[in-house]
Amino acid sequence: MLQFEVLGEVRAWRGEAPLPLGPPQRRAVLAALLLRAGSAVTAAELVEGIWGERPVPRAIAALRTHVTQLRRTLEPERPARGPSTVLVTVGDGYALRVPPETTDVAEVERLVAAAGQLRDHDPAGARANLVAALGKWHGPALSGLPGPFAERQRSRLEQWRLAILEDRLALDIETGHGAAAVADLGSLIDEHPLRERFRALLMTALYHSGRQSDALDAYAQARRALVDGVGVEPGPELTVLHERILRGTMPEIRGTAQPRAMTEPHAAPAPRAIPEPRVITQQHSMSEPRVMTERGVEPVPAQLPPDIADFTGRARLVDELAAQLTGAGSAVAISAVGGMGGVGKTTLALHVAHRVRDRFPDGQLYANLHGVDPVPTPPGAVLGGFLRALGVAEGDIPSTVEDRAAELRTRLSGKRILMVLDNVRDYAQVAPLLAGSAVLITSRSALTELPAVTRTRLDVLETTEAMDLLVRILGTDRVAAEEESAREVVAHCGLLPLAVRIVGARLAVRPQWTIASFADRLADEKSRLSVLKTGELAVEAAFRLGYGQLNAEQARAFRTLALAEVPDLSIGAIAAVLGIAELDAEDVCESLVDLSLLETTAPGRYRFHDLLRLFARCVADEDESAVLVRVLDYHLASAKNLLSAIDYSNTTRLLVATAVPGRAFASGSDGQAWNDIERPVVIALHQQAARVGGRALDVAADLAWVMAELMDAGTGARELSRALESLLEAAIAADNLAAERRIRTALGALLQVGLGEVEASLPHLRAVSGPPATDVDRRLSVLASVLLGIAARRLGDADASHRHFEHATQLTRALGDRSMEAWCLALVTRTYCEAQQYDQAVAVAERAIALARESSNPVALGWATHELAATLSMRGEHPRAIELGIEAVRTAQRNGVRLWEGWARTRLAQIHLQAGNVAEAETQAAGALQLLTKAADPIDRARAMALHAAALAARGHRDPAEQELRESAEIFTRAGLAPPTIDRLYGAAGTE
């Protein structure tokens, strides 16, 4: 993510890496765009702002050059001549489209806003935020930048800093740091002798430090400076403060200094600079005591329903909402709590409202707007009820919504009244009701049209909170006696507060029931929703109300997507399932998120809450198998594209035809990232396909085969193996031999490479390597024979390993797959090398390299290159071997598959170690170790670890070397490697 600083030198980072921004004028262009906060700046404005009224010749050309260089820096992966998405062209000018939170100015605004919210009830916390805000300055803003724009903004930002500093000094005094404030103010007044606020703060600090005479002397010095300097008398703030000190009427330190920085930085001329901080303004100053407004004879409404006695958890949210509602300001403080049905929005809102009710002495108004009911409460009816509660006679209540809203605003003007609007349907319903000092809204809708609102998205409870709620209902002893069963219960409830309350209520009136018996009833997904109801409370009823709000398109998506039993789905997969364009799919999913019927885990990814999924499946009207096949089809098409992106082989022509194009990949690294993200989804798809069977089984088997070709299980290798075992059982039960062979190949590859369980992989691989009848059989036999060869080598049978590799090579020739033939020959090279038949190894490796280049297979090219390098190293040709080893690593990096890069780095580490380059061997082995850990390849990881240990030992680091050797030995032993194989691996590592 990009980050920028302008409060000092203009700097930028991508993640932790600093970006080169070039000369001062280029930085000035970047600063001008940053400070326009995404708005467009014309070329003329930029030229004038950087070069002034008399720009240099060809200033426009120079500007375009700076923009081009900035684009290269900010978007290094953008294709040549491809459209920019960060520094975009707008008309004849430019705009910088980055999130506002990426700048240090935005962070200062956030800290100042937080200080404004804490100001009344936590002055120490407010002070800490302002200290942090001031810490964001690292010298004069826009330091070293030329031009009128930078000069204007530098002055403006400095005034903002001084205003924040004044607020911090006021808080210093209020929180008992007056002596330190006196010391700071002395030097500040020397720098800014005409700034009256500093002098007023000095007088206040001196007075509250017991130095009344010094405070009066400070006033005299201030007056002389103003009269002598600019010929004016002190302003009202200093004059009133002086009189109060003389009369002894200074208030105690319980007021607050007027926080100008907490409202906005001083205005500046166009072009517009940093956005104004959006915070609640405080209304009192340290020099003025707080005065409570007297109430008249109007009734004081107290309409809040009772607080919940067993309210549990949400402590941080309660504090945040209370702070948002009680920040004193002239604008209405609006907070909206959103979330799915049953998540506890109303409970939270009422708890917060009761907590802060004493801060609203003029009353509290409450209305349930029945937003999810078939007929929501009209805003006019709510307004009428509020006006009656405020004492308006029935005959005086206006007839129209507009007039009622105006009357309500008039009645609430100047009063501290809290309004709670519960269960709001949409913006149109709530907009006329917004009045008073603070409004707290609950809604399943996101209410995105509502301006100037602080939004809180309420999630389910944490496990500890759900357990605490169950304890509050059932008692500590009963829950403690069956703690594990209680945890199962809250998990089956999806940590949804409504569901936990229902379970607690049912168990509370049935003391003879055990919690374990209820956990067993909830374990059956088909009946779970029917169990989760008691009296008028029912999870299904809460969900059905939300479902009733949906239009036809939303309802179909809600029902259909739930049939795929996966952790989440990408927008591409969703579009494939629904048979619509991705943009349309995103629109419908976002609308469901706004209605709290779907969750978004990341941009472009969506999921269901467990109980919502069960409800959606109950109302589904489409065949589960058909939906599952469409999801599998999308993932298989994407996996095909991944193989094609890395030019791996012609395997894709042997796979079942797919109905959708799938996800496209620009590179192997792009595909690697997709593979990592989608792995939990693929595991879940295999599990569901094992249960559903039919066509889903065939597509899942092909998907398993394709992923096995990559040999990278990454995280979740054990979970994937269990899913493949279930899939295999289903294929055997269905007598589906074609699917069985594919799945056995995938499972054998996973067990051997991903989990290091060599012996366990052999039955599966041997079952596939029999006489092939079709091209598909031959291709599966190639992979199985390769893996059998690797297994034989690891188990100490070099001759069998060579035979398996030669057999795989013959099969590739029968297939006419020269790409895979190159890969198999690279493996044959290793067997010759380890048998010390170096001439044969070199000849085979060179043949493999030629075939790989001829067939444009970078995978085989990289493999054959590092095997040739290893062979030359064994012959003592170290310089050429190192050169080829580096080339192999670069080839693997271009492929973007970390497993292959890990293998190449391991070989290069071995070559460096044999050449005596110990430091470089350590570096390469460390890199290989990191890659092979992520790729879940325990045996090769242990081999890299042994190499790393050897390099450490050679450099004198005996203790960590011995620890890594022990750990690698344990991995080799668990994998069942033969002693000769272990000795060979340690020998290659240079260990004894």
Side-chain angles (χ1 to χ4, degrees):
M1 180 178 178
L2 292 170
Q3 292 288 333
F4 302 90
E5 285 185 358
V6 297
L7 301 178
E9 292 184 1
V10 175
R11 297 186 290 181
W13 291 263
R14 175 176 287 102
E16 298 293 329
L19 299 180
L21 297 180
Q25 287 178 342
R26 189 169 303 152
R27 293 171 183 259
V29 173
L30 176 63
L33 295 170
L34 281 170
L35 293 176
R36 289 296 287 266
S39 298
V41 188
T42 66
E45 287 176 317
L46 286 169
V47 168
E48 188 278 333
I50 295 166
W51 285 281
E53 295 181 355
R54 296 183 178 180
V56 298
R58 298 183 56 79
I60 291 291
L63 172 64
R64 289 172 178 162
T65 299
H66 289 316
V67 169
T68 299
Q69 294 301 323
L70 285 172
R71 283 174 170 165
R72 290 174 179 168
T73 300
L74 299 178
E75 301 175 86
E77 298 178 359
R78 181 173 62 91
R81 300 187 180 276
S84 174
T85 59
V86 176
L87 206 172
V88 301
T89 300
V90 182
D92 73 334
Y94 307 93
L96 195 63
R97 298 292 163 78
V98 294
E101 65 269 18
T102 58
T103 68
D104 54 354
V105 168
E107 178 63 8
V108 171
E109 290 182 328
R110 185 190 68 77
L111 289 166
V112 170
Q117 292 178 340
L118 294 172
R119 189 64 180 83
D120 271 357
H121 63 282
D122 185 9
R127 177 182 179 274
N129 276 286
L130 294 185
V131 169
L134 291 166
K136 297 298 177 183
W137 266 266
H138 303 288
L142 310 178
S143 180
L145 296 194
F149 175 83
E151 192 59 35
R152 289 193 298 267
Q153 299 310 313
R154 192 176 295 118
S155 173
R156 173 189 168 325
L157 292 168
E158 175 62 11
Q159 292 302 313
W160 189 32
R161 185 187 72 83
L162 292 174
I164 297 172
L165 180 57
E166 288 169 345
D167 293 337
R168 195 219 75 196
L169 289 164
L171 286 165
D172 285 351
I173 298 168
E174 183 177 353
T175 55
H177 299 83
V182 169
D184 289 343
L185 284 163
S187 59
L188 287 168
I189 288 171
D190 289 340
E191 294 176 26
H192 308 279
L194 302 180
R195 198 171 181 97
E196 293 191 44
R197 185 82 192 288
F198 282 152
R199 293 191 181 269
L201 289 167
L202 177 61
M203 291 168 63
T204 304
L206 289 168
Y207 177 87
H208 287 295
S209 298
R211 300 166 60 182
Q212 181 176 348
S213 61
D214 289 340
L216 293 171
D217 184 59
Y219 173 79
Q221 292 178 24
R223 184 176 181 279
R224 282 196 300 273
L226 290 166
V227 171
D228 294 343
V230 291
V232 297
E233 289 289 335
E237 183 178 12
L238 285 176
T239 303
V240 171
L241 192 57
H242 180 238
E243 291 176 357
R244 287 181 173 176
I245 293 173
L246 288 172
R247 295 175 183 175
T249 58
M250 284 283 286
E252 293 296 324
I253 300 180
R254 55 188 298 273
T256 59
Q258 178 68 22
R260 288 173 291 177
M262 295 184 192
T263 56
E264 58 183 300
H266 298 293
R272 183 177 67 81
I274 59 173
E276 299 173 356
R278 301 167 293 279
V279 298
I280 300 170
T281 309
Q282 305 289 330
Q283 294 300 313
H284 306 281
S285 72
M286 287 193 64
S287 58
E288 296 178 344
R290 298 172 187 267
V291 179
M292 185 69 72
T293 303
E294 295 185 1
R295 294 199 295 265
V297 296
E298 297 93 343
V300 179
Q303 296 186 330
L304 294 178
D307 195 2
I308 306 301
D310 56 6
F311 183 87
T312 304
R314 316 284 200 191
R316 182 182 59 81
L317 285 177
V318 170
D319 290 342
E320 290 177 356
L321 286 168
Q324 292 163 13
L325 294 170
T326 56
S330 58
V332 181
I334 306 174
S335 294
V337 179
M340 63 184 289
V343 81
K345 300 181 294 296
T346 298
T347 302
L348 174 65
L350 291 177
H351 184 71
V352 171
H354 279 279
R355 174 169 166 172
V356 302
R357 63 181 301 170
D358 62 325
R359 303 293 297 276
F360 298 93
D362 297 319
Q364 306 90 41
L365 297 169
Y366 171 87
N368 183 347
L369 277 68
H370 300 282
V372 294
D373 288 2
V375 182
T377 305
V382 178
L383 288 166
F386 284 168
L387 290 173
R388 294 182 190 95
L390 292 168
V392 179
E394 190 67 36
D396 294 333
I397 295 175
S399 59
T400 68
V401 171
E402 292 79 6
D403 290 343
R404 289 184 177 189
E407 181 67 22
L408 180 66
R409 291 192 294 270
T410 299
R411 294 276 174 171
L412 299 187
S413 178
K415 294 183 178 180
R416 294 285 296 169
I417 285 186
L418 172 66
M419 182 183 295
V420 179
L421 301 175
D422 192 17
N423 198 3
V424 170
R425 185 183 188 91
D426 53 27
Y427 172 73
Q429 186 188 31
V430 75
L433 309 178
L434 302 178
S437 303
V439 180
L440 181 55
I441 299 169
T442 74
S443 178
R444 298 191 192 185
S445 171
L447 302 177
T448 52
E449 307 97 323
L450 197 62
V453 60
T454 303
R455 292 179 172 83
T456 299
R457 190 76 176 181
L458 197 58
D459 203 350
V460 296
L461 297 170
E462 299 290 338
T463 300
T464 53
E465 294 176 330
M467 290 289 288
D468 288 344
L469 178 56
L470 203 58
V471 167
R472 297 286 293 271
I473 300 171
L474 296 179
T476 302
D477 293 344
R478 189 172 179 187
V479 173
E482 297 185 81
E483 184 173 349
E484 285 306 312
S485 295
R487 289 186 180 278
E488 289 180 29
V489 164
V490 298
H492 289 321
C493 290
L495 304 178
L496 190 70
L498 174 61
V500 176
R501 285 189 179 280
I502 290 172
V503 169
R506 294 192 64 180
L507 286 171
V509 297
R510 295 169 176 83
Q512 69 277 17
W513 283 19
T514 63
I515 298 176
S517 67
F518 213 90
D520 290 341
R521 299 186 68 187
L522 289 171
D524 183 1
E525 289 188 349
K526 295 179 180 178
S527 61
R528 188 177 299 170
L529 290 177
S530 64
V531 174
L532 291 174
K533 62 183 178 182
T534 181
E536 295 184 359
L537 292 178
V539 170
E540 183 176 356
F543 291 166
R544 196 169 292 279
L545 287 172
Y547 178 67
Q549 290 183 262
L550 305 182
N551 61 33
E553 182 183 38
Q554 292 169 329
R556 175 179 176 260
F558 178 73
R559 296 189 306 266
T560 304
L561 295 177
L563 293 174
E565 296 176 351
V566 292
D568 63 359
L569 280 174
S570 68
I571 200 63
I574 290 169
V577 170
L578 299 179
I580 58 179
E582 289 193 11
L583 286 176
D584 295 332
E586 186 171 29
D587 284 345
V588 72
C589 286
E590 284 297 312
S591 70
L592 291 172
V593 170
D594 287 344
L595 292 170
S596 302
L597 291 172
L598 204 61
E599 300 172 1
T600 178
T601 57
R605 299 195 72 85
Y606 300 90
R607 70 179 180 192
F608 283 92
H609 181 273
D610 290 346
L611 294 180
L612 267 174
R613 181 192 302 281
L614 291 179
F615 170 74
R617 291 175 71 88
C618 289
V619 297
D621 55 2
E622 190 166 355
D623 179 58
E624 176 186 5
S625 177
V627 172
L628 176 59
V629 167
R630 293 203 294 272
V631 182
L632 284 164
D633 182 87
Y634 170 80
H635 283 84
L636 177 58
S638 301
K640 288 181 181 180
N641 294 340
L642 175 52
L643 282 186
S644 298
I646 58 178
D647 295 320
Y648 180 65
S649 73
N650 61 7
T651 303
T652 54
R653 70 181 178 83
L654 303 174
L655 300 167
V656 297
T658 47
V660 295
R663 162 86 181 263
F665 301 103
S667 64
S669 57
D670 186 21
Q672 180 79 74
W674 175 83
N675 195 6
D676 288 340
I677 292 170
E678 296 293 344
R679 189 171 293 108
V681 176
V682 171
I683 291 170
L685 289 173
H686 286 331
Q687 292 168 334
Q688 189 175 3
R691 178 177 59 80
V692 172
R695 170 68 174 166
L697 187 61
D698 293 326
V699 185
D702 260 16
L703 178 59
W705 172 17
V706 175
M707 303 309 263
E709 295 278 352
L710 298 171
M711 293 192 189
D712 184 356
T715 56
R718 179 61 65 192
E719 293 81 358
L720 180 56
S721 72
R722 295 193 186 104
L724 289 175
E725 286 166 358
S726 298
L727 204 61
L728 179 60
E729 290 174 3
I732 294 172
D735 198 23
N736 188 335
L737 183 60
E740 179 186 345
R741 289 174 61 82
R742 289 161 167 79
I743 299 163
R744 285 192 184 277
T745 304
L747 187 54
L750 176 63
L751 289 169
Q752 183 172 156
V753 180
L755 293 170
E757 297 176 3
V758 179
E759 292 283 1
S761 72
L762 297 180
H764 300 294
L765 298 173
R766 287 168 179 159
V768 178
S769 63
T774 66
D775 280 353
V776 171
D777 291 341
R778 293 186 184 90
R779 184 62 188 81
L780 290 170
S781 293
V782 169
L783 184 54
S785 296
V786 165
L787 290 166
L788 285 169
I790 294 172
R793 178 173 163 273
R794 287 173 168 175
L795 295 174
D797 191 343
D799 291 340
S801 175
H802 186 82
R803 286 196 303 272
H804 283 303
F805 291 151
E806 287 285 9
H807 178 60
T809 304
Q810 293 168 7
L811 289 171
T812 60
R813 289 168 182 161
L815 281 167
D817 190 341
R818 300 173 74 79
S819 182
M820 283 303 296
E821 181 183 353
W823 186 49
C824 293
L825 286 174
L827 292 166
V828 173
T829 299
R830 176 172 290 192
T831 63
Y832 280 128
C833 180
E834 290 175 349
Q836 299 182 8
Q837 300 177 31
Y838 300 131
D839 292 342
Q840 293 95 322
V842 169
V844 173
E846 289 176 344
R847 172 62 177 159
I849 290 172
L851 280 175
R853 287 176 174 156
E854 179 185 321
S855 58
S856 300
N857 184 342
V859 178
L861 178 61
W863 190 284
T865 301
H866 70 62
E867 289 305 321
L868 176 60
T871 303
L872 294 177
S873 176
M874 296 299 292
R875 290 205 312 196
E877 301 176 27
H878 298 308
R880 177 59 177 158
I882 291 171
E883 180 183 340
L884 288 171
I886 292 172
E887 181 182 334
V889 169
R890 289 173 177 166
T891 300
Q893 288 174 330
R894 286 193 295 272
N895 294 341
V897 180
R898 63 185 169 219
L899 183 64
W900 300 337
E901 183 185 346
W903 289 337
R905 284 190 181 277
T906 302
R907 274 304 207 193
L908 182 56
Q910 177 187 334
I911 292 166
H912 275 299
L913 200 59
Q914 289 170 333
N917 302 330
V918 178
E920 188 59 31
E922 181 186 345
T923 299
Q924 293 299 330
L929 190 56
Q930 182 180 22
L931 290 163
L932 295 172
T933 298
K934 291 180 179 178
D937 180 7
I939 295 175
D940 282 305
R941 180 171 75 251
R943 182 163 168 257
M945 191 181 299
L947 284 163
H948 191 248
L952 288 174
R955 301 188 71 187
H957 305 304
R958 303 298 305 181
D959 290 343
E962 290 176 3
Q963 181 179 345
E964 289 191 352
L965 282 173
R966 285 194 298 270
E967 187 176 343
S968 63
E970 290 173 1
I971 295 173
F972 289 144
T973 302
R974 284 198 304 269
L977 268 63
T981 302
I982 297 176
D983 292 341
R984 186 186 70 247
L985 290 170
Y986 280 131
T991 60
E992 297 181 359

